[in-house]
Amino acid sequence: MSKGTTIKEALAQWEQKSGEKAGEAEEIKLICQIPSIEKMDASLSTLTNCKKLSLSTNAIEKITNLNGLKSLKILSLGRNNIKSFSGLEPVGDTLEELWISYNLIEKMKGIGVLKKLKVLFMSNNQVKDWSELQKLSELPCLVDLNMVNNPIEEKHSLDNTWRPEIEKKLIKLKKLDGVPIVRQDDEEEG
């Protein structure tokens, strides 16, 4: 079995293709590397200007080494093997969007550190319990949530309780699973 591509190697390839210096770039895409990236290594700390980092479609299991990403607003980690939100603390004060669909996340522990998070796309994960979704109420700015194809969404969509329950639990939410939420008070204001 071949060893995975390191972040350092992927960044070198990205610089060669783009003609930009990774440390100065605002957007970096290291998507679908062959062989896949398996670890978020310390090379990420050089990306001090990066506002959008895409590491989708790799084989990453843990979120790590985000310490140097002081400007990061959008983190794309879809289609990996991530099981938890631990490791997001260093971007807790800047991250506004987390795209983490098609992973193995069952528990929401650690999501509460993302105080500026507005968008959370986490369809096709393993969330099963309301108690886990309750942790999303710790996110004061969350307005857009996608939870399609999580066991909890599938179960409660069948009995038509999914949307009403989420709307009750997350009162600031404006969009759920790609569909705008229209509340009674919104209609009265308009």
Side-chain angles (χ1 to χ4, degrees):
M1 190 170 132
S2 65
K3 81 177 189 57
T5 302
T6 66
I7 296 281
K8 187 176 183 176
E9 292 165 342
L11 286 172
Q13 291 168 9
W14 181 89
E15 285 181 336
Q16 200 172 8
K17 267 190 213 164
S18 69
E20 293 182 68
K21 289 201 182 313
E24 298 168 6
E26 289 190 2
E27 182 174 349
I28 296 180
K29 292 182 181 178
L30 306 176
I31 297 168
C32 197
Q33 297 292 302
I34 299 172
S36 293
I37 295 170
E38 295 172 355
K39 288 190 171 107
M40 294 173 70
D41 64 43
S43 301
L44 287 173
S45 65
T46 63
L47 307 179
T48 52
N49 287 337
C50 187
K51 291 182 180 176
K52 181 179 181 184
L53 176 61
S54 301
L55 293 166
S56 298
T57 316
N58 280 291
I60 297 166
E61 293 184 8
K62 285 184 180 159
I63 301 170
T64 56
N65 290 303
L66 294 176
N67 299 42
L69 285 90
K70 303 291 182 214
S71 306
L72 195 65
K73 292 189 180 306
I74 302 171
L75 179 57
S76 175
L77 290 168
R79 297 185 187 277
N80 276 288
N81 300 315
I82 296 168
K83 294 181 178 111
S84 81
F85 290 109
S86 66
L88 289 169
E89 299 81 6
V91 294
D93 291 332
T94 59
L95 200 68
E96 294 177 5
E97 297 187 22
L98 179 58
W99 307 348
I100 198 159
S101 296
Y102 294 93
N103 275 285
L104 306 169
I105 297 169
E106 188 176 331
K107 305 282 184 205
M108 305 297 282
K109 184 177 184 225
I111 193 77
V113 300
L114 301 175
K115 296 303 178 194
K116 292 199 172 155
L117 195 71
K118 296 176 184 174
V119 176
L120 178 59
F121 294 155
M122 62 173 297
S123 68
N124 299 281
N125 273 282
Q126 303 298 317
V127 180
K128 297 176 179 81
D129 301 319
W130 284 119
S131 61
E132 294 304 320
L133 281 181
Q134 196 59 45
K135 293 176 180 137
L136 294 177
S137 63
E138 298 170 25
L139 305 173
C141 302
L142 187 67
V143 292
D144 190 349
L145 173 66
N146 189 329
M147 293 289 296
V148 170
N149 293 330
N150 274 273
I152 189 165
E153 180 274 335
E154 291 174 329
K155 177 181 184 240
H156 292 284
S157 285
L158 285 174
D159 62 14
N160 293 317
T161 58
W162 174 246
R163 285 188 75 81
E165 281 300 314
I166 290 291
E167 289 175 23
K168 238 189 303 182
K169 291 177 189 317
L170 303 173
I171 56 171
K172 291 184 177 152
L173 213 55
K174 299 201 179 314
K175 194 186 272 189
L176 176 61
D177 301 332
V179 179
I181 293 174
V182 179
R183 300 183 194 275
Q184 206 63 41
D185 47 320
D186 292 346
E187 290 172 6
E188 290 166 10
E189 287 173 15

